Amino acid sequence: NFFRFFALKFKEWGLKRLITTCYKNQDVDLFSQNDCEKAVWLDYYGNPNDNTSTDFSTVEVKELKGDGDFRSKECIELLKQADIVVTNPPFSLFREYVAQLVEYDKKFLIIGNKNAVTYKEIFSLFKENKIRIGYRNMNSDFWLEVPEGNSFEKVENGKKVKHIMACWYTNLPTTKQEEVLVLYKKYTPEEYPKYDNYDAIDVSKVTDIPQDYNGVIGVPITFLDKYNPEQFEIVGMISSAGYNKEVVGIDFLGEKDARPLIN
């Protein structure tokens, strides 16, 4: 579906080439069973006869030597030729997939699980301003079409869809990251209690961040939706595996439980 979308936008957006690899699949159908030992990849340079229209018959379907795993040598060679990667990578291999994109210095726009922001490898990229949330709000529903025979939650426009805990991740520049979050509340110790074991205050809603507090603030994960590196500095995040100064970013003042505690 990504391939079809960009093929239809090929002329309008001034694209020069479109490469798509399949995984364990020699059928370009969206919902393959992924049961082939070998895979194919698609190569498209637009319609050579009429550059104002899309002609899917000019798409070259080429065989890969292997199964199309993104980590394979031949897929990496194709990756090297790309300027921008747009895809829905396997969520279970998200860390590894993003690490590969960073290693080869690629621009990307990809779908990932919302909870991936808490992976220390992914969070460090947020901290270094090397990745950001896309335009779709983290709190908005993300519905994806599912293949026949799989569980679904509703039918929309004749298609069976399911709610996915997902959002867009990108390193492309966005106007969203330049927007200044308007703060209107004033700090009071009563409304913003300090944690027992960290020198930081707790703020349960991003909109409630006090405008006149200059210390460390604990915010929900949806803050990354509003993060402007010119307005805020990301210090760290809580570590579910226990205290780790490199991850958490501030001193631990407690004794055992590393979670931020109040009373």
Side-chain angles (χ1 to χ4, degrees), residues 91 111-116 138-144 153 162-169:
F91 285 10
I111 297 171
N113 192 299
K114 289 180 186 179
N115 291 328
M138 282 185 81
N139 283 326
S140 61
D141 289 334
F142 206 118
W143 295 87
L144 295 182
E153 292 170 45
K162 186 174 184 177
H163 178 242
I164 305 296
M165 290 287 291
C167 61
W168 289 98
Y169 293 86

Side-chain angles (χ1 to χ4, degrees), residues 69-106:
D69 190 307
F70 70 87
R71 298 162 293 189
S72 67
K73 186 176 180 180
E74 58 184 340
C75 284
I76 289 174
E77 287 304 313
L78 290 173
L79 172 67
K80 288 178 181 178
Q81 300 174 53
D83 298 310
I84 302 174
V85 176
V86 184
T87 191
N88 179 16
F91 285 10
S92 61
L93 297 173
F94 194 75
R95 291 180 180 87
E96 202 168 343
Y97 190 79
V98 172
Q100 187 183 84
L101 294 176
V102 172
E103 179 184 353
Y104 289 97
D105 195 24
K106 296 300 170 183

Side-chain angles (χ1 to χ4, degrees), residues 50-214:
D50 179 4
N51 64 8
T52 64
S53 68
T54 299
D55 180 5
F56 283 105
S57 68
T58 64
V59 176
E60 291 186 67
V61 181
K62 302 178 180 180
E63 281 203 357
L64 289 166
K65 293 178 182 176
D67 62 8
D69 190 307
F70 70 87
R71 298 162 293 189
S72 67
K73 186 176 180 180
E74 58 184 340
C75 284
I76 289 174
E77 287 304 313
L78 290 173
L79 172 67
K80 288 178 181 178
Q81 300 174 53
D83 298 310
I84 302 174
V85 176
V86 184
T87 191
N88 179 16
F91 285 10
S92 61
L93 297 173
F94 194 75
R95 291 180 180 87
E96 202 168 343
Y97 190 79
V98 172
Q100 187 183 84
L101 294 176
V102 172
E103 179 184 353
Y104 289 97
D105 195 24
K106 296 300 170 183
K107 296 295 183 185
F108 59 84
L109 178 62
I110 58 177
I111 297 171
N113 192 299
K114 289 180 186 179
N115 291 328
V117 300
T118 64
Y119 302 162
K120 66 179 182 179
E121 300 89 346
I122 303 300
F123 188 81
S124 66
L125 295 175
F126 276 100
K127 193 174 172 183
E128 296 163 13
N129 198 28
K130 292 180 179 177
I131 194 172
R132 58 191 62 95
I133 300 296
Y135 283 110
R136 189 185 188 90
N137 192 298
M138 282 185 81
N139 283 326
S140 61
D141 289 334
F142 206 118
W143 295 87
L144 295 182
E145 183 184 352
V146 297
E148 202 61 44
N150 286 47
S151 62
F152 64 96
E153 292 170 45
K154 67 177 182 179
V155 177
E156 199 172 77
N157 299 324
K159 296 178 179 179
K160 296 174 181 177
V161 295
K162 186 174 184 177
H163 178 242
I164 305 296
M165 290 287 291
C167 61
W168 289 98
Y169 293 86
T170 187
N171 60 355
L172 293 165
T174 67
T175 55
K176 180 178 178 177
Q177 77 183 92
E178 298 171 355
E179 294 174 2
V180 174
L181 182 63
V182 178
L183 306 176
Y184 67 96
K185 299 198 75 169
K186 299 281 189 179
Y187 167 74
T188 64
E190 294 75 29
E191 186 173 0
Y192 300 102
K194 270 197 172 184
Y195 298 113
D196 301 338
N197 47 359
Y198 290 101
D199 184 12
I201 62 170
D202 181 67
V203 177
S204 58
K205 293 181 181 179
V206 175
T207 53
D208 288 347
I209 294 174
Q211 59 176 290
D212 55 348
Y213 187 82
N214 293 319

Side-chain angles (χ1 to χ4, degrees), residues 1-23:
N1 270 359
F2 282 122
F3 181 88
R4 291 176 183 139
F5 175 83
F6 286 111
L8 291 169
K9 294 283 187 180
F10 200 87
K11 170 63 179 175
E12 181 185 342
W13 288 3
L15 304 181
K16 59 184 179 181
R17 189 183 182 194
L18 192 55
I19 301 171
T20 297
T21 58
C22 301
Y23 176 64

Side-chain angles (χ1 to χ4, degrees), residues 26-69:
Q26 292 193 313
D27 181 355
V28 296
D29 179 65
L30 177 63
F31 292 127
S32 158
Q33 296 302 308
N34 301 115
D35 54 5
C36 299
E37 289 304 312
K38 287 190 175 183
V40 295
W41 64 284
L42 313 181
D43 205 2
Y44 184 59
Y45 287 88
N47 186 342
N49 302 315
D50 179 4
N51 64 8
T52 64
S53 68
T54 299
D55 180 5
F56 283 105
S57 68
T58 64
V59 176
E60 291 186 67
V61 181
K62 302 178 180 180
E63 281 203 357
L64 289 166
K65 293 178 182 176
D67 62 8
D69 190 307

